[in-house]
Amino acid sequence: MTAMGPTARSPLAAWAAHMRNPSLRAVFGIAFCILFAFIGTFTYVNFVLAGSPFMIGAMMLGFVYLVFLPPILTTPLAGRAVRWVGTRPTMWSSLAVAGLGLPLISSLMAVLTGMVLVGVGTFFAQAIATAFVGRAASADRGAASGIYLACYFSGGLVGSAVLGQFFDMFGWHACVAGIALALAVAVALTFWLIIDGERAET
């Protein structure tokens, strides 16, 4: 029977090593915030559209999700944007675009525009963060990706639960405030996204 190589590590050891990396910890936190904001927006905005003054029916609500088309088209540009201006500036810009879409509820067109902006920003940020994990993890990239995905989907679960309480108790504006806070935390965490060769980023 072949013995395990000296460099083999248990999954727990690999996870612990990744959690000691401040850049990876930051991107795991960003992943949590991204899906927190995305789920919070696209779950509870439905209640805004179905209520007064918009009163959109169930069938028309389905067509509203055509707002995902622009994010799908723009996301492949994320890698090119990172090469042009760097990881952190691109992430900041993506999160800012998502944030700009939050307060737009004065009319149906404004809401749809806001949804497009949130979608474009969060899709772009997710693409940047996913690629960053692969570059920042020097070994055991599969374990790093697993932690990233766990944090990402945990953000969606927590976002739907917490923001649902905000929405029930205080309404859409409180929900927006919670989403904005998540995006702000993601912006703050971006300062720790540093890997070799990018230390000169501004």
Side-chain angles (χ1 to χ4, degrees):
M1 183 171 61
T2 303
M4 292 180 65
T7 59
R9 291 195 292 182
S10 70
L12 288 177
W15 296 337
H18 292 320
M19 293 306 295
R20 288 193 295 269
N21 183 329
S23 291
L24 285 174
R25 288 200 306 268
V27 80
F28 298 153
I30 290 169
F32 181 96
C33 293
I34 288 171
L35 199 60
F36 184 105
F38 180 86
I39 291 292
T41 301
F42 286 93
T43 299
Y44 298 106
V45 75
N46 286 322
F47 297 103
V48 175
L49 293 173
S52 178
F54 305 114
M55 305 301 292
I56 295 177
M59 183 171 293
M60 287 301 297
L61 276 176
F63 288 108
V64 165
Y65 284 88
L66 290 173
V67 298
F68 287 141
L69 183 59
I72 290 170
L73 295 176
T74 57
T75 298
L77 301 176
R80 188 175 301 175
V82 168
R83 289 192 295 272
W84 284 344
V85 299
T87 299
R88 286 183 289 168
T90 309
M91 181 67 80
W92 288 328
S93 301
S94 302
L95 296 170
V97 168
L100 286 173
L102 292 179
L104 299 179
I105 58 171
S106 57
S107 67
L108 179 58
M109 186 55 65
V111 174
L112 296 178
T113 301
M115 293 172 71
V116 169
L117 292 175
V118 173
V120 167
T122 54
F123 276 44
F124 221 79
Q126 160 69 351
I128 297 163
T130 302
F132 182 86
V133 172
R135 291 187 293 139
S138 58
D140 297 306
R141 289 186 173 89
S145 295
I147 298 172
Y148 176 90
L149 289 173
C151 292
Y152 180 73
F153 289 113
S154 294
L157 290 171
V158 174
S160 62
V162 171
L163 295 174
Q165 295 299 311
F166 284 11
F167 188 88
D168 285 344
M169 292 187 291
F170 307 111
W172 172 244
H173 291 289
C175 192
V176 166
I179 297 165
L181 179 60
L183 294 175
V185 171
V187 168
L189 290 171
T190 304
F191 284 96
W192 280 269
L193 297 185
I194 302 173
I195 57 178
D196 291 341
E198 292 189 346
R199 296 185 183 278
E201 281 188 4
T202 56

